[in-house]
Amino acid sequence: MPFDAGMYSAISLELGTGFTAWAPVSPMGSRVELVHGPQGGYHIYGRVRFAGFAPDVYVFFRVTPVDGGAPVNDPTARIRRNNPQGLTAYQGGWETTYGELVIFTQIASPTEVVGRRFVWEVVVQDVATGRLATAQREITVVDDEP
């Protein structure tokens, strides 16, 4: 699993959010909106920007409570993105074209996560070389939008 193994590369990698447009997530204290999906589940939107890997990558997310415990999503779920399928050129690097669903598979109700702090991690893996890069943020999950 890419969160725990492999050689990590020091590339430029940024974790963000936003459905249709990039929204930055600061290293600590950002509030990230919980979305109730049309099929009844809950998710947040994840986006990445990177430079230093070819535009053909796997993206993995992991959202873990700050105070300990198992991830609230499936950290083994990988998303393959490349140019032009899911990646767009951005300032000498690449950016996910739209928000990726980080589905909270381990919750049944928003009360399990709203108002709680989490460590939100992303791993990007270069498909051709297997090299990995990671970034993380400390977030609070909120439900401000109806």
Side-chain angles (χ1 to χ4, degrees):
M1 185 160 105
F3 288 93
D4 301 316
M7 295 299 298
Y8 284 88
S9 300
I11 68 162
S12 173
L13 174 61
E14 187 177 355
L15 173 59
T17 191
F19 176 59
T20 58
W22 177 269
V25 177
S26 63
M28 296 194 68
S30 283
R31 298 164 49 93
V32 176
E33 183 70 24
L34 183 68
V35 178
H36 186 210
Q39 297 176 345
Y42 298 92
H43 63 271
I44 59 177
Y45 291 111
R47 295 175 72 98
V48 296
R49 286 180 174 164
F50 65 92
F53 286 167
D56 188 8
V57 296
Y58 293 116
V59 180
F60 302 81
F61 294 98
R62 178 168 62 184
V63 183
T64 308
V66 166
D67 54 1
V72 295
N73 70 312
D74 177 0
T76 65
R78 73 179 186 183
I79 305 157
R80 187 171 184 176
R81 294 292 176 242
N82 56 45
N83 181 33
Q85 298 173 328
L87 291 179
T88 303
Y90 176 80
Q91 295 184 357
W94 301 95
E95 170 181 284
T96 47
T97 307
Y98 40 79
E100 305 290 354
L101 298 182
V102 181
I103 301 171
F104 286 12
T105 55
Q106 303 304 308
I107 71 166
S109 166
T111 59
E112 297 176 62
V113 294
V114 171
R116 292 184 58 199
R117 293 182 312 134
F118 292 86
V119 175
W120 185 14
E121 300 169 90
V122 63
V123 170
V124 174
Q125 182 178 29
D126 184 300
V127 170
T129 67
R131 292 184 309 146
L132 305 166
T134 187
Q136 73 177 32
R137 301 288 187 254
E138 186 176 301
I139 63 167
T140 299
V141 173
V142 298
D143 190 12
D144 293 340
E145 296 178 19

